[in-house]
Amino acid sequence: MAKQPQAYLEFEVYEDNINLLGVAKATLPDITYLSQDMTGAGFGGTIEAVLIGMMEKMTLGLNFRSCTDAAVHLMAPKKHHIDLRVDEQYWDTVEVEQKQQADKHVMIVVPKKMSPGTVAPASVADVSGEYAVYRYEGYKDGKALWKIDPFNYVCEVGGVDYLAEMRQILGK
């Protein structure tokens, strides 16, 4: 079946299966591999070596309409288990109709920053939080897309664990 993604219809954010009310927008973490510049004998310039499965830091951004209980709760300096559930609409080119599928982003995060936002007449406060991501899993329609867990040397993409050999070499 050929799926043409169209738009996200709606999303909800949960922590430990409890809905975090008041979330207006989520900015998902960038997944960026570490790299090293290589120069010297044998190179006609500089080459960027991308390091297998090694990750740059990841950050989740959440925006709230106001300083909700959920926004304050996520400010607690401890581990939070975030489950972001997304309803995505797509066009089925075979059946020639619009359909929906479930996307999910599961993260272990720790708060880095909370901004109480602004106060103005007839407006939302635009409260925001930034969270360091220690583990990040992505799913589409129930299928695992990736699992990034730097503490446990896991970098699974499309069902392949690119750090399995490293764990074996290190005796983990």
Side-chain angles (χ1 to χ4, degrees):
M1 165 172 37
K3 296 180 178 181
Q4 292 293 333
Q6 291 186 322
Y8 291 138
L9 294 176
E10 189 56 272
F11 77 99
E12 293 286 345
V13 180
Y14 293 82
E15 180 185 15
D16 300 326
N17 293 318
I18 297 171
N19 194 341
L20 298 175
L21 299 176
V23 178
K25 182 171 96 173
T27 303
L28 298 172
D30 289 336
I31 300 171
T32 305
Y33 294 102
L34 287 173
S35 64
Q36 287 291 316
D37 288 347
M38 296 175 56
T39 60
F43 296 102
T46 302
I47 295 172
E48 187 173 22
V50 178
L51 305 179
I52 297 172
M54 306 298 286
M55 293 293 154
E56 292 278 355
K57 63 184 178 181
M58 296 179 284
T59 301
L60 169 67
L62 294 176
N63 291 70
F64 297 83
R65 288 183 293 281
S66 71
C67 214
T68 64
D69 289 345
V72 173
H73 171 74
L74 286 178
M75 191 173 71
K78 64 182 189 101
K79 170 185 85 169
H80 298 274
H81 183 232
I82 301 296
D83 184 350
L84 195 148
R85 303 172 191 176
V86 182
D87 181 3
E88 183 179 16
Q89 178 176 300
Y90 68 92
W91 184 258
D92 184 323
T93 61
V94 175
E95 296 184 25
V96 192
E97 64 182 324
Q98 287 178 326
K99 293 187 176 180
Q100 297 172 49
Q101 68 185 10
D103 292 357
K104 189 155 88 165
H105 301 271
V106 180
M107 290 165 262
I108 301 294
V109 303
V110 173
K112 292 179 11 176
K113 173 183 171 183
M114 195 265 217
S115 173
T118 58
V119 177
S123 68
V124 296
D126 199 22
V127 174
S128 64
E130 287 184 11
Y131 309 90
V133 177
Y134 289 178
R135 180 182 177 123
Y136 184 18
E137 300 175 38
Y139 301 88
K140 184 173 284 295
D141 211 17
K143 179 183 174 188
L145 301 175
W146 62 79
K147 179 162 87 175
I148 309 296
D149 185 346
F151 281 113
N152 292 300
Y153 295 97
V154 175
C155 177
E156 291 179 14
V157 179
V160 176
D161 186 349
Y162 291 93
L163 289 179
E165 185 176 2
M166 179 185 288
R167 287 194 308 276
Q168 181 182 17
I169 290 169
L170 297 176
K172 301 231 176 238

